[in-house]
DNA sequence: TTGTAAGCGTTATCAG
DNA sequence: CTGATAACGCTTACAA
C-alpha cells in the first residue's frame, strides 16, 4: 500500500521551509521576486528533500512543456542522425528537450506520430520536407503548435523551412556530370511518392539536361528503397543491359555506396567503366573506394539553425523565417569522363 | 485575449455527446466498459471536434507518461543510431514514445539529463554502460524510476543490463590477432575514464595476451577521442616510431577507420605493413578498404530487446532481467600475418 | 452502464 | 515580498 518513501512535492518543501507553495514556486522559477533569506531557506529544503518539480503538473499549469518533437524517416541514415544530434544539442542549450520518432518513410505512421507528439504537449515540431497530407497542417494550426520543415528550402512553400535547395543543388551536380561528356545518364532514386526532396532532385537533373540541350524527357529514373542492397540491385540491373549508362546519379550517398559496392563485387570498375555520384556527403562518401563525387550538405548547421528558429517561433510566437543553406559540389574520383564507346 | 478557437477538452466532448467526462474517458481508454451506443456517439464527437487528450493532464492523473528516456553519448556514432532506432521502433509498437538526449561522453551532462528526464516523468530510462556516479542510482531508486543499462552485459553488476560481454568479445578478437603471430600489438582506445566498456575491452586484450603467455603488462594503450581524425593522429604517431607495431587493435570501428584512412594517406599498406582491427561491425567496416576484421555486435537486436525488457520493468514493476547477446568475430582483410621483420 | 467528485502538483492572479 | 486560492484537463474510486 504505502510505497515507503514517496516523492516530495512543492507542498512538502513549503511545509519544510514554513512558507506557501507559491513562494517555493517563485524561489525556483523567478528567484528575484523572493526575499534573499526566504529563498535560501527554501532552496536548502529543496536540496535536503531532493525535490524535483513534477513536470506534468508544471506543463498543465504553465501551458508550456519545453519539449520539442522531431519526426524523421529514420535515425539510421547518418544525415538524420547528424542533423538531429546538432538539433538536440542546441535545444538542450536553450532549455528544451527532444522527443524523437521515426516513421520509416511511411506517411501514415508519420501522421500518427505528429498527433501523438502534439497530444504530449510538444511546444513545437520539426518535420522533414513539405510533402504531407494537408490535414496535418490544418490540425497543427488548430492546435496552435508551430512547426518547422527542414532538409529542404522552398521559397514557394507556404510554410517556413530551414534547409537547402534540393533542385538547384542536384542541378549543379548534374552539370558537372554533363561537363565530363556523359550522354547516357540514369538516376537511381528513393521513392518520390511522399518525398518532395526526391522529386526536386529529379527535377534538378532534368534542368541540367534541358540547359544542356538534351531532351530532358529522356531521363530515366530507377526507383530503389533506401538501403544499400536495393541500390546495388538497381545498379546491377542497369549494368546488365545491352547498352548500360555511362553515369549513374544516385539520390543520396547511401544509394551510391550500394552501387559502388555492387560494382566491385561484379568486377566493374568505378569510374573507368561507369561514373557514380551521390548526395549528402556523409562520412561514407569519403571512405568508400573510390570516394564519391557528391553534394555536400551542412547537416549539423542545418540542425542547429532549425533548433534556433523553432525555439524562436515558440517563444516569440512569430511565423518563422525560412533559412537557406548553401551546398557545395565535392568532386571526387567516382566521376570522370565516359569510357570511349 | 480570446485565442479564437481553442483546443477541445474532455468536457467539450462530454457536453457534445451528452454524457459525463468519465464516460468519455472510459470510451477512450477502456471501451469495453462502455455501452456500444454511447461509445459510438462519444467517438463521433471526438472525431468531429478533433479532440486529442491533453497529455500532461493524463500523466498527472494516471501517474504514467508512456514515455521512456534514452541518454546516450551521441547519435553520430552509427552504433547508437541503429540501436536507438530499433529501441524506438519497439517502444512505438508498445505505445511508448522516446525522449532522447546525448551527453557527448560528459558525465556531468549525463547526470543533468537523467534528472531532467525523471522530472519530465519518464516511466523508465535507458542508460549506456554501468559506469556513473552512484548517487544517480540512489536518485533513480528514490524516484522509483526503473532503469536499464545497455551496450554491455555484466553479471557482476548490481543492476540489469542488456548487451554483450565487452571483455570476452574483445578477448576473442585479440586471440585471432595473436593466432596470426603478432607480437607487437598496440591498442588505440577511447577514453576509459567514465567508460566501463572501454576498460573491459582493454582487459579483454590483456586476457588474451596472458593466455598466450605474453606478459600482459606490456600492452600499450593509446588514448584517442571518439573521432576519425584523432584516431588517425594516434595511428600516425605509432607508425612513425622506430619500431612500429605490427597490429593495432582499435576500440571501435570508427577509430579503426580513422587509422585505415590515415594509413592510405601515408602510403602505408593495410594489412601488408600493419594489421588493424575494429569493434562493432558498423556499415563502415565493410565499406572501408580493406574491410575491417571486427567484432559484430547485434545493435538492432540489442535495442529491441532493451525496449522489451524496460517496458516489462515498467509495467510489471519487476527488477528486470539481464540479457546477454552474442557477438561474432568477423574476419576480414585488415588482419593478416605480420610482415617479416 | 453511467455519473459524481476528489484528487494529481504546479503556476498565476489577486490580495494583503 | 508573501499567501490564498482558483484554475489546468484528466483518471478513478465510489455511488447510483
Amino acid at each position: 500500500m504505502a510505497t515507503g518513501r514517496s516523492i516530495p512535492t512543492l507542498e512538502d518543501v513549503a511545509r519544510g521551509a514554513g512558507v506557501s507553495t507559491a513562494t517555493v514556486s517563485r524561489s525556483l522559477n523567478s528567484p528575484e521576486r523572493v526575499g534573499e533569506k526566504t529563498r535560501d531557506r527554501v532552496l536548502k529544503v529543496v536540496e535536503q528533500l531532493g525535490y524535483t518539480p513534477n513536470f506534468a503538473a508544471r506543463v498543465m499549469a504553465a501551458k508550456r512543456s519545453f519539449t520539442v518533437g522531431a519526426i524523421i524517416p529514420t535515425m539510421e541514415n547518418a544525415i538524420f542522425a547528424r542533423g538531429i544530434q546538432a538539433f538536440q544539442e542546441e535545444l538542450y542549450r536553450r532549455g528544451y528537450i527532444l522527443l524523437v520518432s521515426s516513421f520509416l518513410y511511411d506517411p501514415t505512421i508519420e501522421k500518427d506520430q505528429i498527433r501523438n507528439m502534439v497530444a504530449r504537449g510538444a511546444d513545437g515540431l520539426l518535420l522533414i520536407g513539405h510533402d504531407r497530407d494537408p490535414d496535418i497542417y490544418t490540425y497543427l494550426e488548430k492546435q496552435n503548435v508551430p512547426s518547422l520543415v527542414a532538409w529542404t528550402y522552398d521559397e514557394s512553400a507556404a510554410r517556413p523551412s530551414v534547409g537547402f535547395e534540393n533542385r538547384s543543388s542536384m542541378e549543379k551536380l548534374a552539370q558537372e556530370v554533363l561537363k565530363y561528356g556523359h550522354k547516357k545518364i540514369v538516376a537511381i532514386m528513393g521513392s518520390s511518392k511522399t518525398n518532395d526532396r526526391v522529386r526536386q532532385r529529379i527535377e534538378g537533373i532534368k534542368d541540367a539536361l534541358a540547359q544542356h540541350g538534351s531532351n530532358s524527357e529522356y531521363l530515366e529514373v530507377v526507383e530503389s528503397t533506401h538501403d544499400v542492397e536495393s541500390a546495388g540491385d538497381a545498379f546491377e540491373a542497369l549494368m546488365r543491359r545491352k547498352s548500360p549508362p555511362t553515369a549513374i546519379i544516385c539520390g543520396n550517398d547511401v544509394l551510391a555506396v550500394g552501387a559502388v559496392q555492387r560494382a566491385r563485387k561484379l568486377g566493374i570498375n568505378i569510374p573507368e567503366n561507369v561514373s557514380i555520384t551521390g548526395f549528402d556527403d556523409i562520412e561514407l562518401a569519403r571512405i568508400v573506394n573510390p570516394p564519391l563525387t557528391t553534394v555536400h550538405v551542412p547537416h549539423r548547421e542545418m540542425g542547429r539553425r532549425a533548433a534556433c528558429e523553432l525555439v524562436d517561433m515558440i517563444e516569440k510566437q512569430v511565423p518563422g523565417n525560412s533559412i537557406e543553406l548553401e551546398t557545395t559540389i565535392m568532386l571526387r574520383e567516382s566521376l570522370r569522363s565516359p569510357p570511349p564507346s
Side-chain angles (χ1 to χ4, degrees), chain A residues 213-240:
Chain A
S214 313
N215 189 339
S216 62
E217 308 217 346
Y218 278 36
L219 175 67
E220 184 184 359
V221 178
V222 176
E223 198 168 284
S224 160
T225 56
H226 291 269
D227 62 294
V228 172
E229 223 31 58
S230 163
D233 293 345
F235 171 81
E236 184 167 346
L238 284 175
M239 297 309 290
R240 287 201 189 288

Side-chain angles (χ1 to χ4, degrees), chain A residues 75-321:
Chain A
M75 280 171 261
E76 286 205 48
N77 188 324
I79 64 167
F80 296 118
R82 298 199 76 181
I84 292 299
Q85 173 66 35
F87 184 71
Q88 186 262 316
E89 285 173 27
E90 185 63 32
L91 242 32
Y92 178 69
R93 223 169 277 136
R94 300 189 171 223
Y96 284 73
I97 202 163
L98 175 65
L99 224 35
V100 183
S101 244
S102 60
F103 59 90
L104 305 173
Y105 298 95
D106 178 339
T108 317
I109 300 184
E110 187 195 28
K111 190 171 183 176
D112 185 49
Q113 290 174 336
I114 290 174
R115 295 189 81 98
N116 197 334
M117 293 220 175
V118 169
R120 281 164 183 273
D123 290 336
L125 251 39
L126 183 77
L127 304 174
I128 309 301
H130 286 285
D131 202 12
R132 54 182 58 78
D133 185 345
D135 288 0
I136 295 179
Y137 293 116
T138 319
Y139 170 75
L140 287 175
E141 250 150 53
K142 200 159 141 191
Q143 299 280 335
N144 198 28
V145 175
S147 65
L148 182 62
V149 161
W151 266 263
T152 189
Y153 170 83
D154 190 345
E155 277 193 319
S156 70
R159 17 201 73 258
S161 56
V162 171
F164 53 96
E165 278 257 11
N166 281 278
R167 182 166 177 165
S168 62
S169 297
M170 186 56 114
E171 184 193 335
K172 279 189 293 182
L173 178 68
Q175 296 285 15
E176 294 295 336
V177 174
L178 289 166
K179 265 193 222 160
Y180 274 91
H182 287 277
K183 308 273 188 226
K184 282 189 284 183
I185 300 174
V186 174
I188 299 180
M189 309 290 288
S191 168
S192 63
K193 186 111 181 215
T194 54
N195 193 320
D196 50 343
R197 286 98 62 212
V198 170
R199 287 201 302 275
Q200 285 162 354
R201 291 179 194 179
I202 291 173
E203 288 310 308
I205 304 175
K206 291 185 179 171
D207 290 347
L209 289 172
Q211 269 199 41
H212 201 257
S214 313
N215 189 339
S216 62
E217 308 217 346
Y218 278 36
L219 175 67
E220 184 184 359
V221 178
V222 176
E223 198 168 284
S224 160
T225 56
H226 291 269
D227 62 294
V228 172
E229 223 31 58
S230 163
D233 293 345
F235 171 81
E236 184 167 346
L238 284 175
M239 297 309 290
R240 287 201 189 288
R241 291 181 178 177
K242 270 170 274 169
S243 165
T246 64
I248 297 178
I249 295 180
C250 297
N252 64 46
D253 286 347
V254 174
L255 301 180
V257 165
V260 170
Q261 292 292 92
R262 184 62 64 89
R264 171 175 307 184
K265 193 178 287 176
L266 298 174
I268 296 171
N269 292 320
I270 312 293
E272 292 78 2
N273 301 337
V274 56
S275 288
I276 293 177
T277 64
F279 200 114
D280 287 334
D281 195 24
I282 57 180
E283 208 153 50
L284 237 45
R286 262 160 305 155
I287 285 165
V288 74
N289 190 12
L292 293 177
T293 286
T294 188
V295 178
H296 177 78
V297 175
H299 291 291
R300 282 193 57 90
E301 175 72 0
M302 186 162 56
R304 200 183 61 74
R305 299 286 290 273
C308 296
E309 195 55 33
L310 187 52
V311 169
D312 271 7
M313 289 168 69
I314 293 168
E315 300 190 341
K316 300 182 183 156
Q317 297 272 35
V318 293
N321 304 303

Side-chain angles (χ1 to χ4, degrees), chain A residues 11-86:
Chain A
E11 201 176 334
D12 297 326
V13 177
R15 202 176 305 124
V19 296
S20 74
T21 59
T23 300
V24 178
S25 175
R26 280 191 289 256
S27 303
L28 261 21
N29 299 317
S30 33
E32 72 283 0
R33 299 180 50 203
V34 175
E36 199 171 334
K37 284 186 154 181
T38 325
R39 187 180 51 218
D40 289 351
R41 188 153 33 95
V42 168
L43 295 182
K44 193 161 293 168
V45 179
V46 164
E47 198 56 38
Q48 267 171 26
L49 266 47
Y51 165 79
T52 353
N54 177 305
F55 177 69
R58 187 207 286 263
V59 169
M60 195 152 74
K63 301 185 164 313
R64 284 289 310 283
S65 69
F66 288 98
T67 300
V68 160
I71 294 135
I72 60 174
T74 169
M75 280 171 261
E76 286 205 48
N77 188 324
I79 64 167
F80 296 118
R82 298 199 76 181
I84 292 299
Q85 173 66 35

